[in-house]
Amino acid sequence: MFRSGVGFFALFGLGWWLLGSSAFDGLMRQVLVVVGCAVMVGLMLAARRFLPSSAGGPFPVGRRRRFNQINGLQWLLIIAVAAVCRHVGVPVLIPPLIAVVVGLHFLPLAAVFEQPRLRIPAALLIASGAAGITVWLTNGPDETVRLVVGLISALSLWGMAVWTVAGAASAAGHGAGDEGSGGA
């Protein structure tokens, strides 16, 4: 499930969802948290059901090293963004800028994993960061910045998880259909 990316998409999607839901208070926030957790669990269960246990297979050494380098750089940039934004007094920009960093990290990963479709969440996460920055630049409230960035980012990652699981389920369905369509 994690080798296919679905586990990461589901968990980090929940993180973004929780950020977006922080724009609300009371019962609405509680409902959104429950919905987000249900989506994450549903994606994990679907991945477990439809993806082979070896989905993605073990990483070759070179690919694993490149993956670790890209993720290490991503985390360093996230830490730098948070530190600089706090230092200059604009913590509201942390989520949009992190969304841009995370989106950009998908671009080299698309090449590493030979998965051009990873460019889609890259573009959507960068767009969510740009949307959040736009809300801030137009004097929108901090809650709206979090809502926009969190919602778009969560739906982008969860959409990739659904796409991955649906592709595996479709392939499994076609394989089962082919087995049953043999001559009598």
Side-chain angles (χ1 to χ4, degrees), residues 81-101:
V81 161
V84 169
C85 286
R86 288 204 186 280
H87 181 71
V88 299
V90 287
V92 66
L93 290 180
I94 294 171
L97 292 174
I98 287 175
V100 170
V101 168

Side-chain angles (χ1 to χ4, degrees), residues 5 29 36 51 57 68 88 105-106 119 133 136 138 145 149 155 173 184:
R29 183 165 188 198
L51 295 175
N68 289 336
V88 299
H105 112 287
F106 277 113
R119 293 180 188 136
I133 292 168
W136 178 75
T138 58
V145 172
V149 174
L155 294 176

Side-chain angles (χ1 to χ4, degrees), residues 14 17-19 21-22 24 26-40 158:
L14 176 62
W17 183 263
L18 295 175
L19 172 75
S21 71
S22 73
F24 299 97
L27 181 60
M28 178 61 137
R29 183 165 188 198
Q30 293 171 357
V31 168
L32 290 172
V33 168
V34 169
V35 167
C37 290
V39 169
M40 188 257 322
W158 285 344

